[in-house]
Amino acid sequence: MKEKLKKFYILIPVLGALLFISILLIIFGTSPIEAFSAILNGAFGSQQKFLNTSAFWVPLLLASTGLLVTFSAGLWNIGIEGQIVMGALAASAVALNVEASKPVMLTLEILAAMGAGGLWAGFTALLKTKGKVNEIFGGLALTNLSIILTNYMISGPWQPPEGGTFRGTAPFASEALFPLLASSKFSPLALILSISALALVGFILSNTYFGLKLKSLGKNHYSAFLLGVSSDKEVFLSMAFCGALAGLGGAVRVLSWFDSLRQSISGGIGYLALLVVMLAAYRVILVPFIAFFFSSILTGSISLQLKTQLHSSLGGILTGVMVLFVILFGDRKKIFKKKMDQNNE
Amino acid sequence: MNNSELIAVLASILLQASPLMIAVMGETISERAGMINLSLDGTMLLSAMAGFIAAYETGNVWLGFLAAMIVGAFFALIIAFGTINLKQSQVAIGFVLTILGDDLSAFLGQNYTRLPGPTLGRYSVPILRDIPILGDLLFNQNVVFYIAVLLTIFVWWFLNKTQPGLQLRSVGERPEAAFARGVNVNLIRYAYSIAGGALVGFAGAAYSLAIKIGWSEGHTRGIGWIALAIVIFGGWAPIRGAFGAILFGATKTLATVLQSKFPEVSVVAFNAIPWILMIFVLLLVSNEWVEDMILKLPKRFHRPLRKFLRVSPPLALGEEFEKK
Amino acid sequence: MRVEIKEIKKYFGDVRANDGINFQLESGNIYGILGENGAGKSTLMKILSGYQSQDSGDILLDDKAILFDSPAAGLFAGIGMLYQDPLDFPPFNILENYLLGKSKNINLNFSSAAKQVSALADQYGFEVDIKAEINTLSLGERQQLELVRLLAEGAQLLILDEPTTGISAEQKEQLFTSMRRMAYDEKKIIVLVSHKLDEIQELCDHAFVLRKGKLVGQSEVPCPNERLVEMMFGSLPTRRERHPSVHDEVMLEIKDLKVATYRIQIDGISFTVNKGEVLGLAGLEGSGQGLLLRACAGLEEIDGGEIIVDGEIINDQEYHQRRENDVAFMGSGRLEEGLITGMTLTEHMVLAAEEHDFVINWKQAEVETKSKINTYQVIGQSSSTADQLSGGNQQRFMFSMLRTPLKLILLENPTRGLDVRSTNWIWEQLYERRSDGTAIVFLSADLDEVVDRSDRIAVFSGGKMSRIVNANETNVDELGHLIGGQE
């Protein structure tokens, strides 16, 4: 019985979050039931909507998968947002400047995106290991620089010929885009890539020496060092790995969700991915489900906005409050832990 | 550029720096007590929004500031409760609150974007304003500037010259020794987290009610992170932190000036300056090669240079304290 | 003032730090508390000064039972303790440190504090640079300042915990002069906690000797050293019969080694250890023996001298290189340095292995781990996490991760907290390695272990290393003297 109760304990923070949002909705004069059903309908209401939710899910899953690696090594890769943007930028650079057949284009775009994302994350890692700049600050500064670079490209060199709108580049040639399913934004190819990435990361984390080293670093830096793990190298590799997947996510954003490079190309999925992995408590198997859950809330709240004029950030609030409550109250063991007396002699 | 232009530019730098200074003071007292409030970016957004709405609805700017301070204090309270009582990670809670503050501000403020509202204006100090140059620079400023300067001086005085300030610092440096001197460590951490959060809230409202008037989605986005970096660059000291704030305030003005001088360069390129500066200053204060460089110079320069260039965080920053 | 300690008990889990201690302290006297590492001295003093509370028993102050909830309360009642590492605030300046917690006034009165500190310092012959920051001071100066602070707060009973570790001879003289003055002229009670016989003999009127949490004897001092030594150590264990397997060649040579840290430094250390030899390092914890071991392992940067292993100078090698070159280190904090909370034994074994394939063969790793934990008699599963093991099994498991063969094994407290059977077993394993030529250098807080297990013994005291004595020929008296800092 107790064991059963334990499993349901996790539901309390989730219900708490729903209650919080309901109160918020009532204050704004909207019935929570209507709003939630509008969100559900927006996410799953039709085949098209379901496919769009899935299309949002794929790059989020890629970013979350990358973060599994950095979190495992105990790193706060908040700069992932910038790594996504750099991936999108690099893919756009290829899309705008190369003319080739679709398979060649896609291969080049993917490689460029992964390289750029990895490079951006690698900078953050070097700032940390060589420059002692905490990865949170290095990552944030680089994120902002990548966003500025995007805006610069959109408003300058990559301005569409018919005049700058500051909103995005001209649509890419169709050879440059991912093949999409049933005139939705969903690309089966991108899904295959992200599922393979997840499987690869799952395998690396649990079955390779590299994964084991990351795990040891994340859990106890000094013991890991004594057991022969060199942290600088692993920090760089894990960051670059995460950055490459984030960059791929960025490519998926430009080449399937949009068809061009836009302002705020990432749409905050980097930060959202951090929340996904925190809520999953770093467990690989939970990540795709939570990422999908979050995707449906977010795409659902976008259609809620279209319907009721309620701002789509409602979805962000719902996910944020949920994660906050889980962090605060989810770890029952830690809350009630009794510290053992320590021998002070 | 003639003299009056130059003064105008300098005065604008000080104005841009003012809310940053206030946020930096708030985070400084919190971190000096050992508590990292990583949520600054979200806190400032939410408080800028709350401050604007409260002032708009009541017609009173000061009620706006009060509302913003309550919001800031509340976020800090969540972090204090989560870390002191629930023993969770300061970084994790702070990060989630950053995101949450951003989203909440967008949602709650959705019906108040781009509206004209009450503002906190300029105030000329009688007599002092007539001092040549300085009068225009320092005594014909927005009220937020006076508050920022007085607050900086107050925080400096409080930390360095008062018993409660000493106790505040003691719990951030060596909580077990502070306990031995009869200081209630966790109570003090609660108190200054909350006070610091309230100041950050005030800084948020300073944007929406005085510096960057009005409310729009993402109104102060990024500024909270810059404030956090300035606290590090400032070596957790108020005066140096204030200079850091002025340095970053200058980048904003610099961008405007450069833009008028070089209209051919895209506007957005100048926005990169603060972030490049952020990386640069953090590299400067935390890196070991600075120490190596100092050691190469004659010995008499070591101490002053180290004081100027090197910083070290409060020893117990981010650490739990538990009474034995 | 009269202080009576009645039946004080304090247990930490199974460890009886204080097991029913009784004694009395009277004004105008200097008392010595003597005891080995772990005898219960520090615990008792922390209880007396209010830093910890006892499990049972009473402290009577002028016949009134008292219970402090913090050291501040203790000091308010007149009991002040000077810790070995004074409880001050490194980045503060002297006056700030002095003023913290002193008054309820908002304003800090620096000028009157400066006067008070200077006056008190003058009174006791301390030289104080009022403007200095605490982190620029020597340990001796920090102790003087803390004493000044305690005196200014009106301490009538002053406890000094190993105050002479790490301070200069001159500072020590000053300290002793001022202590005499406080006791005899000002009628305070002074309690000196120490393991150094000389100091106790020189300074104290009366000595209490603790062993394993109990008061085992007391004596007026000065008295013959032998008496105190016998009370402190009981008698040395009879060394178990064993065949030394010391080879002729040198494995480890230390030449004029210097290592300095903020707390303590060792300087001019030279010795050799032969292949197959076991060198034991004794002394109060933190006297420099740990620094030596960590310097040899590559975990502490050295400031001079040479470390030569098997004919090769390894000064420039980092910890990981030395580890690859068969120099092994095992620290005493198992779950802080060596084991990883939340990781399984198999995972540990894979991490520590000599060779790694990119993909881990978990089946094989598990088989190997099982056989290791069988051999090393670790009670636990290959899928148990390190923190699920008991302390003794954690230690066994750490030994099982050591590679074979090794040139040099550096150990800190290798059997701390283990039962007799485990201890014997671990040493058998270590001895077996000697036939490969492995040299072993270990430190232990337990003198019995050092005497029983070593071929030769060196004693550390305040950063100085004694001459090296042969474990077979030494006796309790000689070691007692070496530990007491007498050559």
Side-chain angles (χ1 to χ4, degrees), chain B residues 157 160-164 166-167 169-171 173-174 176-183 303 307 315 323-324, chain C residues 51 69-72 85-89 91-92 96-97 99-101 103 105-108 110 133 146 149:
Chain B
W157 171 79
N160 294 297
K161 304 292 173 193
T162 72
Q163 180 65 237
L166 209 50
Q167 299 194 355
R169 281 153 61 199
S170 74
V171 302
E173 298 290 351
R174 216 176 156 188
E176 72 282 5
F179 164 69
R181 300 277 185 98
V183 175
R303 258 189 87 159
K307 258 205 147 119
L315 296 174
K323 201 169 119 183
K324 289 205 186 84
Chain C
Y51 203 89
D69 60 355
S70 80
D85 183 14
L87 284 177
D88 51 16
F89 299 86
F92 283 19
E96 290 172 336
N97 180 61
L99 283 165
L100 174 64
S103 83
N105 289 346
I106 297 271
N107 262 304
L108 295 173
F110 286 107
E133 276 155 22
E146 188 70 357
R149 194 183 68 81

Side-chain angles (χ1 to χ4, degrees), chain C residues 178-313:
Chain C
S178 52
M179 284 164 76
R180 285 197 186 93
R181 185 165 163 175
M182 292 173 213
Y184 305 138
D185 301 348
E186 297 162 13
K187 297 294 169 205
K188 297 186 196 302
I189 306 176
I190 305 291
V191 178
L192 174 68
V193 180
S194 179
H195 69 293
K196 291 184 186 163
L197 296 172
D198 270 357
E199 288 173 15
I200 301 280
Q201 298 276 19
E202 186 190 336
L203 188 71
C204 299
D205 305 308
H206 193 96
F208 297 104
V209 182
L210 298 187
R211 196 166 77 222
K212 297 192 172 137
K214 288 192 154 70
L215 182 69
V216 292
Q218 49 184 300
S219 167
E220 299 296 321
V221 284
C223 70
N225 261 340
E226 286 65 32
R227 231 185 120 189
L228 295 176
V229 168
E230 203 193 307
M231 285 194 269
M232 266 173 87
F233 299 105
S235 55
L236 285 184
T238 39
R239 272 171 61 82
R240 260 158 282 223
E241 277 303 308
R242 62 156 196 269
H243 304 287
S245 88
V246 183
H247 305 211
D248 280 339
E249 304 128 81
V250 172
M251 180 55 94
L252 170 68
E253 183 173 8
I254 302 289
K255 274 190 192 164
D256 209 17
L257 185 71
K258 181 178 178 185
V259 185
T261 65
Y262 173 57
R263 271 190 62 77
I264 195 162
Q265 71 164 22
I266 55 177
D267 197 359
I269 306 272
S270 300
F271 62 87
T272 60
V273 183
N274 282 1
K275 292 186 177 170
E277 190 177 23
V278 182
L279 176 69
L281 308 176
L284 181 72
E285 279 186 41
S287 302
Q289 65 273 50
L291 215 52
L292 171 65
L293 281 188
R294 279 160 195 265
C296 290
L299 295 170
E300 196 73 61
E301 216 165 296
I302 67 171
D303 298 297
E306 280 176 0
I307 301 170
I308 303 164
V309 174
D310 207 11
E312 190 185 353
I313 300 176

Side-chain angles (χ1 to χ4, degrees), chain B residues 284-324:
Chain B
L284 187 72
V285 294
S286 39
N287 206 334
E288 272 144 17
W289 57 259
V290 178
E291 180 68 23
D292 294 344
M293 214 175 63
I294 292 173
L295 286 176
K296 287 202 176 81
L297 294 165
K299 208 161 190 174
R300 69 202 148 95
F301 294 125
H302 288 184
R303 258 189 87 159
L305 267 180
R306 223 172 259 153
K307 258 205 147 119
F308 183 64
L309 290 174
R310 307 277 293 161
V311 302
S312 53
L315 296 174
L317 182 61
E319 273 172 29
E320 274 179 33
F321 170 73
E322 205 152 352
K323 201 169 119 183
K324 289 205 186 84

Side-chain angles (χ1 to χ4, degrees), chain B residues 27-321:
Chain B
E27 183 68 11
T28 297
I29 60 171
S30 177
E31 292 198 11
R32 281 303 276 269
M35 303 288 293
I36 304 169
N37 181 350
L38 197 74
S39 77
L40 251 55
D41 210 54
T43 302
M44 283 178 78
L45 275 165
L46 190 59
S47 53
M49 181 280 304
F52 179 77
I53 294 182
Y56 180 86
E57 292 292 344
T58 63
N60 184 331
V61 260
W62 297 109
L63 285 177
F65 279 108
L66 181 68
M69 288 172 79
I70 292 171
V71 166
F74 180 67
F75 264 35
L77 175 70
I78 295 176
I79 298 178
F81 175 70
T83 56
I84 295 173
N85 295 76
L86 303 179
K87 312 274 178 228
Q88 307 295 347
S89 147
Q90 291 182 355
V91 174
I93 301 176
F95 173 72
V96 177
L97 286 179
T98 307
I99 303 295
L100 196 54
D102 195 326
D103 282 326
L104 273 173
S105 72
F107 185 80
L108 297 174
Q110 57 183 307
N111 297 328
Y112 292 87
T113 51
R114 301 182 204 290
L115 294 176
T119 58
L120 187 59
R122 194 185 283 263
Y123 175 76
S124 296
V125 186
I127 304 167
L128 292 175
R129 68 181 165 218
D130 299 325
I131 304 172
I133 302 173
L134 285 186
D136 278 337
L137 193 57
L138 300 176
F139 300 109
N140 188 18
Q141 279 278 17
N142 192 292
V143 177
V144 170
F145 170 75
Y146 304 126
I147 292 174
V149 171
L150 292 177
L151 178 70
T152 303
I153 295 167
F154 174 79
V155 169
W156 173 83
W157 171 79
F158 185 79
L159 285 178
N160 294 297
K161 304 292 173 193
T162 72
Q163 180 65 237
L166 209 50
Q167 299 194 355
L168 185 173
R169 281 153 61 199
S170 74
V171 302
E173 298 290 351
R174 216 176 156 188
E176 72 282 5
F179 164 69
R181 300 277 185 98
V183 175
N184 187 339
V185 175
N186 285 336
L187 181 73
I188 284 196
R189 288 188 163 176
Y190 256 107
Y192 293 110
S193 296
I194 291 170
L199 288 178
V200 171
F202 189 97
Y207 278 102
S208 58
L209 297 175
I211 309 297
K212 189 182 173 191
I213 291 161
W215 169 252
S216 59
E217 199 186 323
H219 200 66
T220 64
R221 198 173 283 148
I223 289 170
W225 291 110
I226 288 179
L228 277 164
I230 294 174
V231 172
I232 299 173
F233 172 64
W236 291 266
I239 303 290
R240 197 174 145 159
F243 278 110
I246 291 171
L247 184 64
F248 277 87
T251 61
K252 177 92 186 156
T253 310
L254 183 69
T256 322
V257 173
L258 283 178
Q259 212 178 299
S260 61
K261 299 271 165 204
F262 304 98
E264 70 276 13
V265 181
S266 165
V267 189
V268 285
F270 298 114
N271 296 341
I273 299 171
W275 302 104
I276 294 170
L277 185 67
M278 176 163 150
I279 293 178
F280 178 76
V281 296
L282 290 180
L283 267 178
L284 187 72
V285 294
S286 39
N287 206 334
E288 272 144 17
W289 57 259
V290 178
E291 180 68 23
D292 294 344
M293 214 175 63
I294 292 173
L295 286 176
K296 287 202 176 81
L297 294 165
K299 208 161 190 174
R300 69 202 148 95
F301 294 125
H302 288 184
R303 258 189 87 159
L305 267 180
R306 223 172 259 153
K307 258 205 147 119
F308 183 64
L309 290 174
R310 307 277 293 161
V311 302
S312 53
L315 296 174
L317 182 61
E319 273 172 29
E320 274 179 33
F321 170 73

